[in-house]
Amino acid sequence: MFKKLLASGVALAALSGAAQAADKTLVISVYGFAQDAFKEIVYDPFEAQCGCELVVETGNSVERLAKLEARKDDPEIDMAVMSTHDALSAARKGITQSIDVSRLSNYDKLYDIAKDPLGDNLAVGYTFYATSIAYRADEVTIESWADLFQDKLKGRVAFPNVSTNQGPPALYMVGKAIGDDAADLKAAIGEVAKNKDDIVTFYERSSQVAQLMQQEEILAAPIGRFAWGAYSKMGFDMAWATLKEGQTGGMNVMILTKGAKNEDLAYEFMDFWLSTEIQTKLAEALVDSPANSEVKVSDEIAENLTYGAETVESLQLLDPAVILDNRESWLSEWNAQIGQ
């Protein structure tokens, strides 16, 4: 009888442990991009490690930031990923809290630019990308951002709309090329406006540019490195421009919500994502360029990523505060000179 009771007690304890594991839930907010790959590489392995449930909410930056703000006094989401300027916006609205980086065992492995991109440990970078000019090397030569407006490219070039993530960085580099990189971007927007009739489209989506390049309607366009894979497989003599003013880009970061209900799990998940193993797998799947400096990939994989210390150090990233404080005036200036 005693043995039966003991066995029952063990069974009940096991059931209780299982129930507690099932009650452990982490809610994250992420981009909708490459979710099948993230599920296989990040989400499912993390659930297996933590014995918890991972609830993943996706959407564009505007939608996700609005939801975080609406629930900031009683947050549903524990951690989120977004661009540096959106993360700064969230911090200014009191949505986030500083991250205790001592709880991240992989923090010291990160490139320096990813460790504290907002200050006060309000975010940790997990990926970044370069922005340069993809072009047909058999048709034109591009050595400067100003070369986008050369005679050979009249009617054969695309440029990102100012409202896109690629727009402001590209304009910033155009400004540097013409000797005026002021934060108001007026000179750069003016230069684009002067040449607007020779620009095929002010694109909203990177897929739109790839299609135009494949159809040979354009010969050059500023793009993010994450999109380069499609161009390298087009069968043309495509090149990624090495520009005398350098290349720009962007960074995505992790944030921790203020009052997160599952803070311990959030730290465990962030550390898992930043690990050399997971960052390597994401890089090999061409999902994200690694912020973890220990990641090693083949030359073939590296060709499609923003990869390596030299490349990372060369990035001229716009300060997120500059983006946040100026984007409305940029849009106004753009609409006034170029139109919607």
Side-chain angles (χ1 to χ4, degrees):
M1 181 69 174
F2 175 75
K3 288 183 179 179
K4 287 183 179 179
L5 285 172
L6 183 61
S8 297
V10 171
L12 286 170
L15 286 171
S16 175
Q20 287 177 358
D23 287 343
K24 291 170 60 179
T25 302
L26 177 67
V27 185
I28 67 171
S29 173
V30 299
Y31 296 104
F33 166 75
Q35 283 305 291
D36 288 343
F38 274 110
K39 185 176 189 303
E40 178 183 348
I41 297 170
V42 185
Y43 306 157
D44 289 351
F46 179 73
E47 285 185 325
Q49 172 183 296
C50 71
C52 64
E53 180 185 0
L54 191 62
V55 176
V56 181
E57 297 195 2
T58 62
N60 64 40
S61 297
V62 174
E63 295 168 345
R64 296 191 297 113
L65 191 55
K67 183 169 183 179
L68 285 169
E69 185 175 12
R71 292 298 302 260
K72 71 176 184 179
D73 294 328
D74 183 24
E76 294 176 316
I77 292 163
D78 301 302
M79 68 83 65
V81 300
M82 53 187 58
S83 67
T84 51
H85 58 274
D86 283 333
L88 180 59
S89 177
R92 288 180 176 181
K93 293 174 179 178
I95 295 169
T96 62
Q97 60 177 307
S98 293
I99 295 170
D100 181 357
V101 297
S102 69
R103 299 180 66 176
L104 301 175
S105 65
N106 293 296
Y107 180 77
D108 289 339
K109 300 175 184 178
L110 301 178
Y111 290 107
D112 286 344
I113 66 168
K115 287 180 177 177
D116 190 17
L118 301 185
D120 296 326
N121 291 320
L122 288 167
V124 173
Y126 69 92
T127 189
F128 33 67
Y129 59 84
T131 293
S132 188
I133 300 168
Y135 69 100
R136 285 276 300 273
D138 57 326
E139 297 279 353
V140 294
T141 299
I142 294 183
E143 298 175 342
S144 165
W145 284 88
D147 289 341
L148 281 170
F149 310 116
Q150 63 180 280
D151 288 343
K152 284 187 176 181
L153 286 178
K154 291 186 183 301
R156 305 296 300 278
V157 65
F159 196 89
N161 193 292
V162 71
S163 62
T164 67
N165 283 337
Q166 302 303 312
L171 285 165
Y172 173 66
M173 297 308 290
V174 167
K176 287 180 73 71
I178 62 174
D180 188 338
D181 59 355
D184 61 21
L185 297 182
K186 283 186 178 181
I189 292 173
E191 183 70 12
V192 173
K194 188 169 67 177
N195 294 277
K196 67 179 181 179
D197 292 339
D198 298 319
I199 295 173
V200 174
T201 186
F202 295 104
Y203 73 85
E204 301 280 352
R205 302 181 309 279
S206 57
S207 58
Q208 181 184 5
V209 191
Q211 184 177 14
L212 290 171
M213 190 74 75
Q214 184 68 67
Q215 295 169 347
E216 299 190 72
E217 293 185 43
I218 63 171
L219 299 175
I223 65 166
R225 187 69 177 184
F226 55 83
W228 172 248
Y231 295 81
S232 64
K233 298 171 185 174
M234 285 181 178
F236 302 134
D237 183 11
M238 297 299 305
W240 178 265
T242 301
L243 304 164
K244 65 182 182 182
E245 300 88 10
Q247 57 188 345
T248 181
M251 184 188 308
N252 290 336
V253 297
M254 301 173 173
I255 60 173
L256 181 65
T257 58
K258 185 180 292 185
K261 296 181 174 65
N262 301 283
E263 189 172 302
D264 290 343
L265 275 179
Y267 276 106
E268 186 178 347
F269 180 67
M270 287 190 284
D271 204 35
F272 182 80
W273 193 337
L274 295 173
S275 69
T276 305
E277 178 185 359
I278 298 303
Q279 291 254 308
T280 299
K281 288 180 178 179
L282 288 169
E284 290 174 341
L286 302 182
V287 173
D288 276 338
S289 294
N292 184 317
S293 64
E294 292 187 350
V295 171
K296 306 297 181 191
V297 297
S298 68
D299 291 344
E300 183 180 358
I301 295 295
E303 179 67 21
N304 295 292
L305 300 171
T306 302
Y307 174 79
E310 184 177 348
T311 298
V312 173
E313 289 170 7
S314 74
L315 296 179
Q316 300 187 45
L317 305 183
L318 269 175
D319 188 308
V322 170
I323 298 175
L324 199 58
D325 294 340
N326 289 277
R327 57 185 175 183
E328 287 187 10
S329 62
W330 290 340
L331 181 59
S332 177
E333 188 70 25
W334 179 276
N335 289 338
Q337 294 202 51
I338 297 171
Q340 298 180 348

